Amino acid sequence: MKANIAAITLAVEDLERSLRFYREGLALASPGIIGTEFAGGDHEPGGAVAMFTLDNGLILSLYERVNLAKDAGIDYARTTGSPMSLGYFADSEEEVDRILARVEQSGGTIVRAPLVRPWGIYAGYFADPDGHLWEVVYFLPTAQ
Amino acid sequence: MKANIAAITLAVEDLERSLRFYREGLALASPGIIGTEFAGGDHEPGGAVAMFTLDNGLILSLYERVNLAKDAGIDYARTTGSPMSLGYFADSEEEVDRILARVEQSGGTIVRAPLVRPWGIYAGYFADPDGHLWEVVYFLPTAQ
């Protein structure tokens, strides 16, 4: 088994809204929504998805909650919550602040304004329109 | 801004249990729990974390729910749920089956037995001990 995660799929309420947020708020490039030819059904998930291929090859996918629930065979209610965070490592404190400002202008929510943590980072949290947490982190030089 | 996610932090109930699961069930290597010198407090998060550096440089972190809640400044109750999945791309149908079997033996749960999807994949879902979903995917040759 490889030590690898190839994709992160975020369950979203509104695919168009989330695609717009990730394009505008995080400046990510995507060919747009694909897979709409797979319409799904009462028990079958639809295939509509928006994907971003990141610099390290990782695929960030946006997929509607209702489809994730059907695809995994779980209750729709279980597809909410904020039990994880995605980490963006910034090059400066200023970049952290700049990203959070941009995100907020694009429909995200600042969950925690940036602050210094004892383990040597300057970091803040935002949530995307569905509540998925992102931590924007700058490693302080003094942290070695 | 870079098109990058540098880390995925999963909120877990029991750090030791999750570390064991990811080591045994997914064969991932980690130096173990670090950061325990940052004990935290009523309102300050503790720093204890277990990290796995994956092949593409991505860091998978395990962090206790209570600490994520304090770190992000969100309600503890919000740190549950299954609103995303992590994707592992396997090299064969057999590898999909093998991974799911191993995961189950290591304390994970098979959420959906593998099946063929119309978009040309053979895939199943499992959940780690905290309910975080993983999709184990093989792209069928006929899917081009």
Side-chain angles (χ1 to χ4, degrees):
Chain A
M1 187 170 184
K2 296 162 285 189
N4 201 20
I5 291 172
I8 302 172
T9 299
L10 301 180
V12 303
E13 202 57 47
D14 180 333
L15 204 47
E16 298 271 6
R17 177 183 69 174
S18 296
L19 175 59
R20 201 163 50 238
F21 172 77
Y22 278 98
R23 279 175 166 166
E24 292 175 9
L26 296 187
L28 297 179
S30 171
I33 297 170
I34 60 169
T36 51
E37 67 273 31
F38 305 108
D42 283 352
H43 300 286
E44 286 303 304
V49 66
M51 295 185 183
F52 306 88
T53 301
L54 307 183
D55 291 342
N56 54 0
L58 184 70
I59 297 167
L60 176 65
S61 290
L62 308 174
Y63 193 44
E64 290 191 352
R65 287 186 197 286
V66 61
N67 288 325
L68 178 66
K70 288 179 192 167
D71 197 33
I74 62 174
D75 284 345
Y76 177 79
R78 191 169 148 186
T79 66
T80 59
S82 308
M84 60 100 207
S85 70
L86 301 177
Y88 180 90
F89 292 177
D91 295 324
S92 64
E93 296 188 41
E94 292 68 30
E95 194 192 358
V96 173
D97 296 344
R98 207 160 54 232
I99 289 170
L100 290 172
R102 177 173 179 155
V103 155
E104 195 168 28
Q105 284 163 9
S106 304
T109 307
I110 306 303
V111 173
R112 177 130 205 187
L115 77 173
V116 172
R117 284 298 183 200
W119 41 89
I121 62 172
Y122 174 81
Y125 283 90
F126 73 84
D128 79 1
D130 290 280
H132 296 294
L133 292 174
W134 283 70
E135 186 181 19
V136 186
V137 179
Y138 171 62
F139 290 88
L140 296 165
T142 51
Q144 63 174 307
Chain B
M1 187 168 184
K2 297 161 285 190
N4 201 21
I5 292 173
I8 303 172
T9 298
L10 301 179
V12 302
E13 201 57 46
D14 178 333
L15 203 48
E16 297 271 8
R17 177 182 69 174
S18 295
L19 175 60
R20 202 163 49 237
F21 172 77
Y22 279 98
R23 279 176 166 165
E24 291 174 10
L26 295 186
L28 298 179
S30 171
I33 297 170
I34 59 168
T36 51
E37 68 271 30
F38 304 109
D42 283 353
H43 300 287
E44 285 304 305
V49 67
M51 295 184 183
F52 306 88
T53 302
L54 306 183
D55 290 345
N56 54 0
L58 183 69
I59 297 167
L60 176 65
S61 291
L62 308 174
Y63 192 45
E64 290 191 351
R65 288 187 197 285
V66 61
N67 287 325
L68 179 65
K70 288 179 191 168
D71 198 33
I74 62 174
D75 284 345
Y76 177 79
R78 191 169 148 186
T79 66
T80 59
S82 307
M84 61 99 203
S85 70
L86 301 177
Y88 180 89
F89 292 176
D91 295 324
S92 65
E93 297 188 41
E94 291 68 29
E95 195 192 357
V96 172
D97 297 343
R98 208 161 51 233
I99 288 171
L100 291 172
R102 177 174 178 153
V103 154
E104 196 168 27
Q105 284 163 7
S106 305
T109 307
I110 307 303
V111 173
R112 177 130 206 187
L115 77 172
V116 172
R117 284 297 183 201
W119 39 90
I121 61 171
Y122 174 81
Y125 283 90
F126 72 84
D128 79 1
D130 290 280
H132 297 294
L133 291 174
W134 283 71
E135 187 181 19
V136 186
V137 178
Y138 171 63
F139 290 89
L140 295 165
T142 52
Q144 63 172 302

